[in-house]
Structure formats: structure tokens, C-alpha cells
Amino acid sequence: MARILVTGGLGVVGTWLVRELRERHHDVISCDLAHQPDEVAFGLHGDLREPRYARCDIGEFRQLARLFEHFGRFDYVFHCAAEFGRWNGEDFYETLWRTNVIGTKHLLRLQESQRFRLVHFSSSEVYGDYPHLMVEHITDEVEIKQLNDYAMSKWVNEMQIRNAIAQHGVESVVVRLFNTYGPGEHYSPYRSVNCRFLYCALHGLPWTVYRGHARTSTFLADTIRTVANLVEHFKPGETYNIGGDQLHTIEELSDLVLKVTGASPTLVRYADAEPLTTKVKLVDTSKAVRDLGHRSTYSLEEGLRLTADWMRQVYKLSK
């Protein structure tokens, strides 16, 4: 059993990861920005004997250091906390850079003394304008232009981690997630394309399909199972692509959304390719398959159908 901290534990990935790690009988503490019933009360007498959560803004070093002081040593930190998404990063760039870059630096400074193993959640966005098969080592061999602030912040994180390894001999692994989606991803206009299309279809709202883009989609359960395997299969210094095994166009994604929701095709609008967005993300996951047992067990249609069913329950929609 390992003692584990999950930052961003209330996020889409963090929530699933906390559950999965606890089901594997690890001792898991999580932190995020909101208050929760199971949180520690730092400045007053709390009501819980064993709180499992802490409110903590990783952009504030004092709050992060206090968490470590209270809960003690961790074997692993799964660093999910981040501002997510291209347009979110454009509209809230101050928060993006403070959380993603300053927050990660705070964690790395604590790693120097605490010596925990770090699993950092990066993004497929770091591949930027690279037009070919996205293999992990490509970022070391080809000059790549990241296409937006979110992508740049995630690449900065990876460089921060490399520097920490070289300077302080800490042990870290980076995982690059590719279009992960599934139940638990609540709608906002800044969420994944899969989430947004499903929400719009179920609510009778129009959505725009940008032609010329292709992705793989990764169902959350498959992503989480693979990432959780890192506790038993941790190789310091490695980087892993975590993605689906079927490339699809955004037009094909939209068509499947229409199929699983029964929405009217008249809701779909088409436009030319979106600027400053990678056109095709063709991912090589062979390293994650080899080292972490990664596999895609849900087809895109099945994953969309399960996510649509979850949305109907959450938003109280009839089928």
C-alpha cells in the first residue's frame, strides 16, 4: 500500500483517480480549491477523526506546504491540478500561468525535501504543430511550436520537471493525455469537444464542427486504469502518451454524437479548420502499452453512449 496525494482531486481525472487508487487499497489524500465534507480543518478543531481532503490552492506555497506539514510524507504525488484547455487559457491566462507553472514549481520545491515520486499530468497539446505520428521522444528531436498558452504552460511544466531531475535527483514521470472524456465531466464551454457536443445534442443546442481536424478519444476508465498502474510500474524519468487506438475526424465524432443522442442533424454547423489548433493528433501509445498495460476497452460509440446516459441523469433529461 502506498501513501498518495492527488492534486486537483475534484477534477474530472482527479475524481476518477482517487476512487481507483482507493479501490486498490492505497492511502489517498486529495486536494483542490473547494471546501468538502471530508476536509481537514487547519485552524480550528475539526469534526472528523481522519480527514482525507484539504482545500489547497497550489499557486499559494504556504497552503501547499501546510498540507504536507499536516499529513506528513507521501510516497507518490499525482499532480492533476491545472487550468485546462486552450480557450480557458486564453480567457483566464493569469490563472493559467499562476496555477500551471508557479503551482507546479511550488510542488517541485517541496519534492526536493520530501523526495516523493511525482506523476505529472501533461497534455497532447505539447506536440503543437507536429504533423506526424506523435511519439514521446519527438519533442526532444524536433523543434515544435506550441499553439496556445495552455500548450505552452504544459511544455514549461515538462521542462521544469526535467530541470528538477537534473538538479536534485528527484524521481518523476510525465503522462501526456489525449482527449480524455467520460462520465464526471460536467459541461462548460471550455471542456473537451466530446463533452460539449454531447451536452449540446442533449439540450437541443447548435454546435460547430471544424473540418480538417482528427483525434483519438480516450475513455476515462481506460486512462485512469493505466495511470494508476504507475504505482507498481514507476520508471523514473519516463514520459508516456495515454491515448485511444482509433483516429477519428471531428465530423465522425459529431455523427456518432447524433447517433447516440438521437439529436437532429440540423443542430450541426460546419466551419473551416480552427486556427492555432493542431489538425491531426496521431498518437503512438506503444510505450504505455508495454510498461503500463494500457489498452482501449471502450469504442468511441460505447464511450459516448455511456457519457450521454450519465449526462441525462445529472441534468435530469428524459431519454
Side-chain angles (χ1 to χ4, degrees):
M1 180 180 76
R3 196 146 194 273
I4 299 170
L5 171 66
V6 177
T7 71
L10 299 181
V12 182
V13 172
T15 299
W16 277 65
L17 182 59
V18 168
R19 185 187 312 125
E20 175 72 18
L21 292 171
R22 286 176 177 167
E23 287 177 356
R24 297 187 186 198
H25 307 292
H26 296 298
D27 180 14
V28 182
I29 302 297
S30 66
C31 68
D32 213 309
L33 294 174
H35 287 297
Q36 292 293 293
D38 61 341
E39 77 175 278
V40 60
F42 289 108
L44 53 86
H45 176 71
D47 302 315
L48 303 178
R49 288 186 177 180
E50 293 189 37
R52 314 307 294 161
Y53 172 85
R55 185 186 183 195
C56 176
D57 181 349
I58 64 167
E60 297 289 343
F61 185 80
R62 180 189 66 86
Q63 294 184 23
L64 195 57
R66 180 177 60 182
L67 185 157
F68 279 85
E69 181 179 353
H70 179 88
F71 285 104
R73 183 181 180 277
F74 294 101
D75 301 303
Y76 294 86
V77 173
F78 283 76
H79 183 34
C80 304
E83 287 289 319
F84 162 82
R86 177 208 165 178
W87 286 110
N88 180 55
E90 296 294 325
D91 289 348
F92 302 96
Y93 59 85
E94 308 96 330
T95 310
L96 175 96
W97 285 97
R98 177 177 168 274
T99 300
N100 293 12
V101 176
I102 301 301
T104 297
K105 187 67 174 183
H106 288 164
L107 193 60
L108 292 174
R109 278 295 164 89
L110 287 165
Q111 190 187 20
E112 294 172 23
S113 58
Q114 298 285 329
R115 310 309 289 184
F116 52 79
R117 286 179 156 182
L118 175 68
V119 178
H120 174 73
F121 286 73
S122 188
S123 168
S124 62
E125 286 290 300
V126 300
Y127 289 104
D129 62 349
Y130 187 70
H132 306 299
L133 182 66
M134 294 175 175
V135 186
E136 290 89 344
H137 62 79
I138 289 299
T139 52
D140 295 323
E141 300 169 2
V142 177
E143 182 181 358
I144 292 174
K145 294 182 177 66
Q146 281 76 43
L147 297 175
N148 52 73
D149 275 35
Y150 173 65
M152 286 184 271
S153 74
K154 284 300 183 180
W155 181 238
V156 169
N157 288 160
E158 294 197 25
M159 290 188 286
Q160 289 174 306
I161 289 166
R162 292 184 188 195
N163 289 350
I165 292 170
Q167 278 188 287
H168 306 291
V170 291
E171 297 186 341
S172 298
V173 162
V174 170
V175 292
R176 296 170 177 167
L177 304 190
F178 281 72
N179 201 33
T180 296
Y181 75 101
E185 186 178 10
H186 292 268
Y187 169 80
S188 90
Y190 298 103
R191 291 308 312 179
S192 75
V193 64
N194 302 44
C195 173
R196 290 188 291 109
F197 283 6
L198 283 169
Y199 182 89
C200 288
L202 291 169
H203 286 81
L205 302 171
W207 67 90
T208 301
V209 173
Y210 291 97
R211 295 187 177 96
H213 295 280
R215 300 285 186 269
T216 63
S217 292
T218 326
F219 193 64
L220 262 168
D222 290 332
T223 295
I224 297 304
R225 182 185 60 252
T226 297
V227 171
N229 287 342
L230 276 162
V231 178
E232 288 80 28
H233 302 283
F234 190 94
K235 291 186 177 182
E238 288 288 0
T239 299
Y240 295 101
N241 290 333
I242 311 295
D245 58 5
Q246 296 294 320
L247 187 70
H248 60 79
T249 66
I250 302 304
E251 294 97 314
E252 290 169 333
L253 170 66
S254 178
D255 289 343
L256 280 176
V257 166
L258 292 173
K259 180 178 179 180
V260 303
T261 62
S264 170
T266 60
L267 293 172
V268 184
R269 301 167 179 172
Y270 295 90
D272 294 334
E274 192 174 16
L276 297 179
T277 302
T278 308
K279 287 197 172 181
V280 177
K281 289 185 178 180
L282 181 59
V283 56
D284 181 341
T285 61
S286 57
K287 190 196 290 190
V289 171
R290 181 195 69 202
D291 290 355
L292 305 176
H294 178 60
R295 64 189 189 278
S296 295
T297 61
Y298 294 84
S299 68
L300 179 57
E301 181 175 342
E302 183 181 8
L304 290 172
R305 197 176 298 280
L306 289 170
T307 308
D309 289 343
W310 173 82
M311 281 189 172
R312 288 188 182 96
Q313 291 182 334
V314 168
Y315 298 112
K316 297 179 172 54
L317 303 170
S318 58
K319 194 162 185 177

